[in-house]
mmCIF file with all atom_site columns, all heavy atoms in Angstrom:
data_model
loop_
_atom_site.group_PDB
_atom_site.id
_atom_site.type_symbol
_atom_site.label_atom_id
_atom_site.label_alt_id
_atom_site.label_comp_id
_atom_site.label_asym_id
_atom_site.label_entity_id
_atom_site.label_seq_id
_atom_site.pdbx_PDB_ins_code
_atom_site.Cartn_x
_atom_site.Cartn_y
_atom_site.Cartn_z
_atom_site.occupancy
_atom_site.B_iso_or_equiv
_atom_site.pdbx_formal_charge
_atom_site.auth_seq_id
_atom_site.auth_comp_id
_atom_site.auth_asym_id
_atom_site.auth_atom_id
_atom_site.pdbx_PDB_model_num
ATOM 1  N N   . ALA I 1 39 ? -11.335 -45.209 77.733 1.00 0.00 ? 1343 ALA I N   1
ATOM 2  C CA  . ALA I 1 39 ? -10.920 -45.728 79.044 1.00 0.00 ? 1343 ALA I CA  1
ATOM 3  C C   . ALA I 1 39 ? -12.040 -45.597 80.059 1.00 0.00 ? 1343 ALA I C   1
ATOM 4  O O   . ALA I 1 39 ? -12.278 -46.502 80.876 1.00 0.00 ? 1343 ALA I O   1
ATOM 5  C CB  . ALA I 1 39 ? -9.671  -44.983 79.523 1.00 0.00 ? 1343 ALA I CB  1
ATOM 6  N N   . ALA I 1 40 ? -12.766 -44.464 80.036 1.00 0.00 ? 1344 ALA I N   1
ATOM 7  C CA  . ALA I 1 40 ? -13.890 -44.272 80.956 1.00 0.00 ? 1344 ALA I CA  1
ATOM 8  C C   . ALA I 1 40 ? -15.005 -45.278 80.676 1.00 0.00 ? 1344 ALA I C   1
ATOM 9  O O   . ALA I 1 40 ? -15.619 -45.828 81.611 1.00 0.00 ? 1344 ALA I O   1
ATOM 10 C CB  . ALA I 1 40 ? -14.422 -42.845 80.831 1.00 0.00 ? 1344 ALA I CB  1
ATOM 11 N N   . ARG I 1 41 ? -15.255 -45.554 79.392 1.00 0.00 ? 1345 ARG I N   1
ATOM 12 C CA  . ARG I 1 41 ? -16.284 -46.531 79.026 1.00 0.00 ? 1345 ARG I CA  1
ATOM 13 C C   . ARG I 1 41 ? -15.893 -47.933 79.506 1.00 0.00 ? 1345 ARG I C   1
ATOM 14 O O   . ARG I 1 41 ? -16.722 -48.666 80.055 1.00 0.00 ? 1345 ARG I O   1
ATOM 15 C CB  . ARG I 1 41 ? -16.497 -46.531 77.511 1.00 0.00 ? 1345 ARG I CB  1
ATOM 16 C CG  . ARG I 1 41 ? -17.643 -47.450 77.064 1.00 0.00 ? 1345 ARG I CG  1
ATOM 17 C CD  . ARG I 1 41 ? -17.730 -47.522 75.554 1.00 0.00 ? 1345 ARG I CD  1
ATOM 18 N NE  . ARG I 1 41 ? -17.955 -46.226 74.961 1.00 0.00 ? 1345 ARG I NE  1
ATOM 19 C CZ  . ARG I 1 41 ? -17.094 -45.612 74.148 1.00 0.00 ? 1345 ARG I CZ  1
ATOM 20 N NH1 . ARG I 1 41 ? -15.951 -46.203 73.842 1.00 0.00 ? 1345 ARG I NH1 1
ATOM 21 N NH2 . ARG I 1 41 ? -17.383 -44.436 73.645 1.00 0.00 ? 1345 ARG I NH2 1
ATOM 22 N N   . ALA I 1 42 ? -14.622 -48.296 79.315 1.00 0.00 ? 1346 ALA I N   1
ATOM 23 C CA  . ALA I 1 42 ? -14.160 -49.611 79.767 1.00 0.00 ? 1346 ALA I CA  1
ATOM 24 C C   . ALA I 1 42 ? -14.230 -49.730 81.286 1.00 0.00 ? 1346 ALA I C   1
ATOM 25 O O   . ALA I 1 42 ? -14.601 -50.787 81.824 1.00 0.00 ? 1346 ALA I O   1
ATOM 26 C CB  . ALA I 1 42 ? -12.736 -49.856 79.279 1.00 0.00 ? 1346 ALA I CB  1
ATOM 27 N N   . ALA I 1 43 ? -13.891 -48.642 81.992 1.00 0.00 ? 1347 ALA I N   1
ATOM 28 C CA  . ALA I 1 43 ? -13.940 -48.666 83.451 1.00 0.00 ? 1347 ALA I CA  1
ATOM 29 C C   . ALA I 1 43 ? -15.381 -48.831 83.942 1.00 0.00 ? 1347 ALA I C   1
ATOM 30 O O   . ALA I 1 43 ? -15.638 -49.543 84.920 1.00 0.00 ? 1347 ALA I O   1
ATOM 31 C CB  . ALA I 1 43 ? -13.326 -47.388 84.017 1.00 0.00 ? 1347 ALA I CB  1
ATOM 32 N N   . LYS I 1 44 ? -16.320 -48.188 83.259 1.00 0.00 ? 1348 LYS I N   1
ATOM 33 C CA  . LYS I 1 44 ? -17.730 -48.306 83.650 1.00 0.00 ? 1348 LYS I CA  1
ATOM 34 C C   . LYS I 1 44 ? -18.234 -49.734 83.428 1.00 0.00 ? 1348 LYS I C   1
ATOM 35 O O   . LYS I 1 44 ? -18.954 -50.290 84.273 1.00 0.00 ? 1348 LYS I O   1
ATOM 36 C CB  . LYS I 1 44 ? -18.583 -47.325 82.851 1.00 0.00 ? 1348 LYS I CB  1
ATOM 37 C CG  . LYS I 1 44 ? -20.068 -47.332 83.250 1.00 0.00 ? 1348 LYS I CG  1
ATOM 38 C CD  . LYS I 1 44 ? -20.863 -46.326 82.457 1.00 0.00 ? 1348 LYS I CD  1
ATOM 39 C CE  . LYS I 1 44 ? -22.304 -46.291 82.945 1.00 0.00 ? 1348 LYS I CE  1
ATOM 40 N NZ  . LYS I 1 44 ? -22.982 -47.600 82.895 1.00 0.00 ? 1348 LYS I NZ  1
ATOM 41 N N   . ILE I 1 45 ? -17.853 -50.340 82.283 1.00 0.00 ? 1349 ILE I N   1
ATOM 42 C CA  . ILE I 1 45 ? -18.269 -51.722 82.020 1.00 0.00 ? 1349 ILE I CA  1
ATOM 43 C C   . ILE I 1 45 ? -17.700 -52.662 83.079 1.00 0.00 ? 1349 ILE I C   1
ATOM 44 O O   . ILE I 1 45 ? -18.397 -53.548 83.589 1.00 0.00 ? 1349 ILE I O   1
ATOM 45 C CB  . ILE I 1 45 ? -17.816 -52.140 80.612 1.00 0.00 ? 1349 ILE I CB  1
ATOM 46 C CG1 . ILE I 1 45 ? -18.584 -51.336 79.547 1.00 0.00 ? 1349 ILE I CG1 1
ATOM 47 C CG2 . ILE I 1 45 ? -18.031 -53.633 80.397 1.00 0.00 ? 1349 ILE I CG2 1
ATOM 48 C CD1 . ILE I 1 45 ? -18.103 -51.586 78.138 1.00 0.00 ? 1349 ILE I CD1 1
ATOM 49 N N   . GLU I 1 46 ? -16.426 -52.460 83.415 1.00 0.00 ? 1350 GLU I N   1
ATOM 50 C CA  . GLU I 1 46 ? -15.797 -53.301 84.433 1.00 0.00 ? 1350 GLU I CA  1
ATOM 51 C C   . GLU I 1 46 ? -16.490 -53.121 85.783 1.00 0.00 ? 1350 GLU I C   1
ATOM 52 O O   . GLU I 1 46 ? -16.715 -54.093 86.520 1.00 0.00 ? 1350 GLU I O   1
ATOM 53 C CB  . GLU I 1 46 ? -14.309 -52.961 84.540 1.00 0.00 ? 1350 GLU I CB  1
ATOM 54 C CG  . GLU I 1 46 ? -13.554 -53.847 85.514 1.00 0.00 ? 1350 GLU I CG  1
ATOM 55 C CD  . GLU I 1 46 ? -12.081 -53.505 85.588 1.00 0.00 ? 1350 GLU I CD  1
ATOM 56 O OE1 . GLU I 1 46 ? -11.652 -52.568 84.888 1.00 0.00 ? 1350 GLU I OE1 1
ATOM 57 O OE2 . GLU I 1 46 ? -11.356 -54.173 86.361 1.00 0.00 ? 1350 GLU I OE2 1
ATOM 58 N N   . HIS I 1 47 ? -16.840 -51.868 86.100 1.00 0.00 ? 1351 HIS I N   1
ATOM 59 C CA  . HIS I 1 47 ? -17.513 -51.601 87.377 1.00 0.00 ? 1351 HIS I CA  1
ATOM 60 C C   . HIS I 1 47 ? -18.891 -52.262 87.418 1.00 0.00 ? 1351 HIS I C   1
ATOM 61 O O   . HIS I 1 47 ? -19.275 -52.881 88.422 1.00 0.00 ? 1351 HIS I O   1
ATOM 62 C CB  . HIS I 1 47 ? -17.653 -50.088 87.571 1.00 0.00 ? 1351 HIS I CB  1
ATOM 63 C CG  . HIS I 1 47 ? -18.408 -49.707 88.805 1.00 0.00 ? 1351 HIS I CG  1
ATOM 64 N ND1 . HIS I 1 47 ? -19.777 -49.480 88.798 1.00 0.00 ? 1351 HIS I ND1 1
ATOM 65 C CD2 . HIS I 1 47 ? -18.000 -49.526 90.100 1.00 0.00 ? 1351 HIS I CD2 1
ATOM 66 C CE1 . HIS I 1 47 ? -20.175 -49.172 90.022 1.00 0.00 ? 1351 HIS I CE1 1
ATOM 67 N NE2 . HIS I 1 47 ? -19.120 -49.201 90.822 1.00 0.00 ? 1351 HIS I NE2 1
ATOM 68 N N   . ASP I 1 48 ? -19.627 -52.163 86.295 1.00 0.00 ? 1352 ASP I N   1
ATOM 69 C CA  . ASP I 1 48 ? -20.962 -52.767 86.250 1.00 0.00 ? 1352 ASP I CA  1
ATOM 70 C C   . ASP I 1 48 ? -20.883 -54.283 86.370 1.00 0.00 ? 1352 ASP I C   1
ATOM 71 O O   . ASP I 1 48 ? -21.723 -54.914 87.048 1.00 0.00 ? 1352 ASP I O   1
ATOM 72 C CB  . ASP I 1 48 ? -21.669 -52.380 84.944 1.00 0.00 ? 1352 ASP I CB  1
ATOM 73 C CG  . ASP I 1 48 ? -22.009 -50.891 84.886 1.00 0.00 ? 1352 ASP I CG  1
ATOM 74 O OD1 . ASP I 1 48 ? -21.994 -50.247 85.958 1.00 0.00 ? 1352 ASP I OD1 1
ATOM 75 O OD2 . ASP I 1 48 ? -22.282 -50.390 83.773 1.00 0.00 ? 1352 ASP I OD2 1
ATOM 76 N N   . MET I 1 49 ? -19.882 -54.895 85.725 1.00 0.00 ? 1353 MET I N   1
ATOM 77 C CA  . MET I 1 49 ? -19.731 -56.350 85.807 1.00 0.00 ? 1353 MET I CA  1
ATOM 78 C C   . MET I 1 49 ? -19.322 -56.775 87.211 1.00 0.00 ? 1353 MET I C   1
ATOM 79 O O   . MET I 1 49 ? -19.752 -57.825 87.708 1.00 0.00 ? 1353 MET I O   1
ATOM 80 C CB  . MET I 1 49 ? -18.701 -56.823 84.781 1.00 0.00 ? 1353 MET I CB  1
ATOM 81 C CG  . MET I 1 49 ? -19.135 -56.647 83.330 1.00 0.00 ? 1353 MET I CG  1
ATOM 82 S SD  . MET I 1 49 ? -17.944 -57.309 82.153 1.00 0.00 ? 1353 MET I SD  1
ATOM 83 C CE  . MET I 1 49 ? -18.117 -59.072 82.457 1.00 0.00 ? 1353 MET I CE  1
ATOM 84 N N   . ALA I 1 50 ? -18.494 -55.958 87.876 1.00 0.00 ? 1354 ALA I N   1
ATOM 85 C CA  . ALA I 1 50 ? -18.104 -56.267 89.254 1.00 0.00 ? 1354 ALA I CA  1
ATOM 86 C C   . ALA I 1 50 ? -19.305 -56.144 90.185 1.00 0.00 ? 1354 ALA I C   1
ATOM 87 O O   . ALA I 1 50 ? -19.487 -56.965 91.105 1.00 0.00 ? 1354 ALA I O   1
ATOM 88 C CB  . ALA I 1 50 ? -16.980 -55.329 89.699 1.00 0.00 ? 1354 ALA I CB  1
#
Side-chain angles (χ1 to χ4, degrees):
R1345 185 185 300 116
K1348 183 179 184 303
I1349 293 174
E1350 184 179 1
H1351 176 267
D1352 292 343
M1353 293 184 69

